[in-house]
């Protein structure tokens, strides 16, 4: 049996950020990860850090705060986290999309997002590969960066350990007794003054053990594709989303990394659909073959906004889950918020918007 003040369950970028911020604040912290660090949703990302989340100013505010933290965070003495600014472009082909953007814009600006509506001609200046699509306008935010999720995971892990946190890998949690502050693992039992659930796609069963009813959706398998090498002379491009189809691209080395929704049960049909949409959106790339780049499970909430909250103790129970693909963009802020909730400090935002409650469950 081991004792610790706070036990963090989940060793992805969210859990590691939490462990780092707690340990940095002087809190004895132990993190448990069922596999290797970053082996869950953190492994299956597009390595994009952005601040604009359409129709979701809460996630945007967390992302703005997180981006500031990423810029200030040293990966190791004398080095910064990898962040290459490329911008984020969203292509609108329907009047309703433009109307929704304009209605959402004041909330996005209040959240600190640098985003605006641009013309089709300006969009094609940012991304000259766009074909002759029936576009009406586009949104553009310069606050988008290509990063390296593995580097961020490793940086937060190293910083957490330097601050005194204990990181236990290949240590799956098998049960919880939140009334007694006990965490049961394959390697033994841990007692803690507080337990934090940051287990991503594996959070639902742990939350049920804790008696917390979060309306998490079933974990969804994400698949990202990669093209054959791009034609010589292909320019660098912003991360670009075709809003109507969900086709998302970014340059990765000499290839394109591509996402478009979720594969579902008929994976081959989905891949054919991606290839067809790529050919329509970017005709010069129509002949490029597509290959699986990475797959992984993703947690999800009904409103695509994370659940972050606190049930006071002792023992206390806290949760940070349901990031719905926003985890990399929200991780630093999530760590700060969980730390502040545990220490009963002012988190600087209205955390009621993130906690489970009637406004989140409908």
């Amino acid at each position: 049996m081991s004792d610790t003040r706070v036990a963090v369950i989940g060793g992805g970028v969210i859990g590691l950020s939490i462990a780092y911020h707690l340990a940095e604040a002087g809190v004895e912290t132990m993190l448990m990860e069922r596999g290797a660090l970053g082996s869950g949703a953190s492994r299956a990302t597009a390595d994009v850090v952005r601040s604009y989340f359409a129709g979701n100013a809460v996630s945007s505010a967390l992302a703005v705060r997180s981006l500031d933290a990423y810029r200030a965070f040293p990966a190791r003495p004398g080095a910064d986290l990898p962040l290459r600014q490329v911008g984020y472009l969203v292509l609108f082909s329907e009047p309703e999309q433009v109307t929704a953007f304009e209605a959402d814009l004041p909330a996005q600006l209040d959240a600190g997002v640098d985003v605006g509506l641009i013309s089709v001609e300006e969009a094609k200046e940012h991304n000259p590969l766009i074909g002759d699509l029936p576009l009406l306008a586009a949104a553009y935010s310069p606050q988008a960066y290509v990063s390296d999720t593995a580097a961020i995971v490793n940086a937060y892990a190293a910083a957490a350990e330097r601050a005194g946190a204990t990181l236990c890998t290949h240590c799956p949690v098998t049960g919880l007794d939140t009334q007694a502050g006990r965490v049961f693992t394959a390697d033994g039992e841990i007692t803690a003054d507080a337990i934090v659930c940051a287990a991503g796609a594996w959070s639902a069963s742990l939350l049920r053990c804790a008696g917390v009813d979060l309306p998490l959706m079933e974990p969804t398998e994400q698949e990202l594709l990669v093209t054959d090498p791009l034609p010589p002379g292909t320019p660098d491009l912003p991360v670009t989303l075709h809003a109507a189809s969900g086709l998302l691209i970014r340059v990765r080395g000499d290839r394109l990394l591509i996402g478009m929704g979720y594969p579902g049960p008929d994976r081959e049909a989905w891949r054919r659909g991606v290839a067809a949409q790529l050919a329509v959106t970017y005709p010069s790339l129509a002949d490029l073959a597509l290959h699986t780049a990475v797959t992984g499970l993703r947690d999800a909430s009904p409103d695509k906004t994370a659940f972050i909250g606190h049930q006071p103790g002792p023992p206390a129970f806290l949760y940070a889950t349901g990031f719905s693909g926003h985890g990399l963009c929200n991780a630093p802020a999530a760590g700060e918020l969980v730390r502040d909730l545990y220490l009963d400090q002012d988190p600087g935002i209205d955390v009621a918007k993130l906690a489970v409650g009637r406004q989140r469950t409908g």
Side-chain angles (χ1 to χ4, degrees), residues 270-321:
W270 172 79
R271 288 174 181 159
R272 290 193 296 271
V274 175
Q277 186 62 50
L278 183 70
V280 169
T281 312
Y282 307 105
S284 64
L285 308 180
D287 295 332
L288 293 182
L290 302 181
H291 313 277
T292 298
V294 66
T295 63
L297 290 179
R298 173 178 289 182
D299 60 352
S301 65
D303 58 4
K304 294 185 164 72
T305 304
F307 287 108
I308 301 176
H310 179 207
Q311 291 187 331
F317 184 80
L318 302 98
Y319 50 87
T321 189

Side-chain angles (χ1 to χ4, degrees), residues 17-85:
S17 172
I18 293 168
Y20 162 68
H21 283 97
L22 286 169
E24 185 190 41
V27 178
E28 182 186 10
T29 303
M30 179 180 293
L31 178 145
M32 288 140 285
E33 162 56 40
R34 68 197 306 271
L37 295 176
S39 58
S42 297
R43 184 183 62 84
T45 77
D47 294 326
V48 171
V49 176
R50 58 184 169 97
S51 61
Y52 172 50
F53 289 90
N56 193 337
V58 174
S59 278
S60 293
L62 292 179
V64 168
R65 179 168 171 169
S66 293
L67 185 54
D68 289 340
Y70 275 138
R71 291 189 184 113
F73 184 84
R76 60 182 187 278
D80 298 324
L81 292 176
L83 291 170
R84 179 171 64 87
Q85 189 168 10

